[in-house]
Structures are given as C-alpha cells and as structure tokens.
Amino acid sequence: MSATSWLLFCSLALLTAFSPGPAVLLAVSNAATHGARRALLGSAGNALGVFLVAATAMLGLGALLKTSAWLFGALKLAGAAYLIWLGIRQWRARDDLFARAPAPAAVSSPRRLFLQGLLVAATNPKSILFFTALLPQFMRADAPLLPQFFALTLSFAACTVLSHLCYVALARVLRRWFAQPRRARWLNRALGTGFAAMGVGLLRLRPAAV
C-alpha cells in the first residue's frame, strides 16, 4: 500500500482508539486499581484481541455475522453480559482505590488482567463488523494480502496501545486528586456506569448498523 493510504489508516485508527470505549474504560480502571504497569497487561491482551478480531473479519466471519442472526445474537449477548458484569464489579469496588496500594488478595494476576483485555476486544461483534468494513478499503487486490493484513492490523493494535498509554498516564496524574474516598467512589460509579451503558448499547446493535 502507499504511504498516503497507510497514514490515512493510522489517522482513522488513532481516532477510533482514542474514542472512549470498553477497552479505554478497562485501562483506566486497571490503572486506578492495580497501577499503571499492570494496567498495560490488559492493554496487551486487548491488542491481541484486536489482532484476532481482524483475523476473524478477514476469514469472512464478519460477513457471516451479518447474515446469521443466531451467531450475531450469541456473540452480542456474551459481549454485553461481560461488560455489564465489569460495570457491576467496578460500581461495587472499594472507595479508596487511589488512597493506597491494593491488598495482595485484591491484586489480579497478570494472566487475569491479560485475559480481561482480550475478552473485551474479542466479544464485541461491532469490532468484527468494523474491521470487515474497514480493512478491504485499504488493501490492494493486486498485491499479496497477508503482508497488508499484518501491516494494517499491527498498526491498529499499536494505536490502541498508544491510546491506553495516554489514558493510563492521565489516570496516574489524577491519582492524588482521586485519593479522597468520596471522589474515588464517584470514579468507580462513573466507570461502572460506563461499562454497563456500553453493554446495554451493545444489546441494541444490529448487523446493518455497521
């Protein structure tokens, strides 16, 4: 692909990655609860999820989701249920998450944080439909498809990780401001509401909407 097409794709990827969504909320939540370094484990899982979603779209499953109401509904319910569960858990989180380091029993394992990020990306049918519509627009039919796929997908994943780094850094800067239990409680509720709202919004998604 041309440099112009790649830069246009990266611009669109950055705009999409920096738009608040489930992965961004998860990165901020993990940064608040577990610290910036551990939050990036979730971001790495999300990047892998983005790659798997793009591969799924390239294999034609995105088109299948558009035609199979059962498959689309099953994936949509799974994604919505997971986001709503994350919202409930965040809403009920302790108030002083910024006041001190979490107790050892409260610290999620690296594997769990990684899988959280992976699941948030992989259970969103909108992402699959997004890549189904997006990737073909930037791929040349007269050139090998596999190198183009890796270039575009890895670029998108890199933009996603970059956006998470920025949000995690912002959460770290605001750490002292949220040290007060009352403010931390409202942050928990805002993040929890955001997760739940996105889960409910996912339930309203239709294949034709993308």
Side-chain angles (χ1 to χ4, degrees), residues 114-204:
F114 183 88
L115 288 177
Q116 279 183 341
L118 176 63
L119 286 173
V120 165
T123 58
N124 190 345
K126 188 173 183 179
S127 297
I128 299 176
L129 297 176
F130 174 79
F131 278 108
T132 301
L134 180 67
L135 288 182
Q137 307 301 321
F138 292 89
M139 299 181 72
R140 294 174 48 186
D142 59 343
L145 296 181
L146 195 59
Q148 296 182 78
F149 165 76
F150 277 105
L152 292 174
T153 305
L154 292 177
S155 296
F156 195 97
C159 291
T160 300
V161 173
L162 176 62
S163 73
H164 291 183
L165 282 171
C166 293
Y167 278 107
V168 167
L170 178 61
R172 187 173 183 178
V173 169
L174 296 176
R175 188 181 185 92
R176 291 185 179 180
W177 195 84
F178 281 109
Q180 297 182 13
R182 182 179 179 182
R183 291 173 180 173
R185 179 171 63 251
W186 281 110
L187 176 64
N188 278 331
R189 292 182 176 180
L191 291 173
T193 301
F195 278 123
M198 289 178 183
V200 172
L202 198 60
L203 289 174
R204 302 178 61 184

Side-chain angles (χ1 to χ4, degrees), residues 72-147:
F72 182 85
L75 185 58
K76 181 175 66 173
L77 285 174
Y82 187 62
L83 289 177
I84 292 172
W85 176 80
L86 287 176
I88 294 174
R89 192 188 67 167
Q90 188 68 46
W91 182 280
R92 298 174 61 186
R94 65 196 186 100
D95 297 341
D96 58 342
L97 76 169
F98 277 106
R100 59 179 181 274
V107 176
S108 295
S109 67
R111 180 182 178 183
R112 181 177 180 183
L113 292 173
F114 183 88
L115 288 177
Q116 279 183 341
L118 176 63
L119 286 173
V120 165
T123 58
N124 190 345
K126 188 173 183 179
S127 297
I128 299 176
L129 297 176
F130 174 79
F131 278 108
T132 301
L134 180 67
L135 288 182
Q137 307 301 321
F138 292 89
M139 299 181 72
R140 294 174 48 186
D142 59 343
L145 296 181
L146 195 59

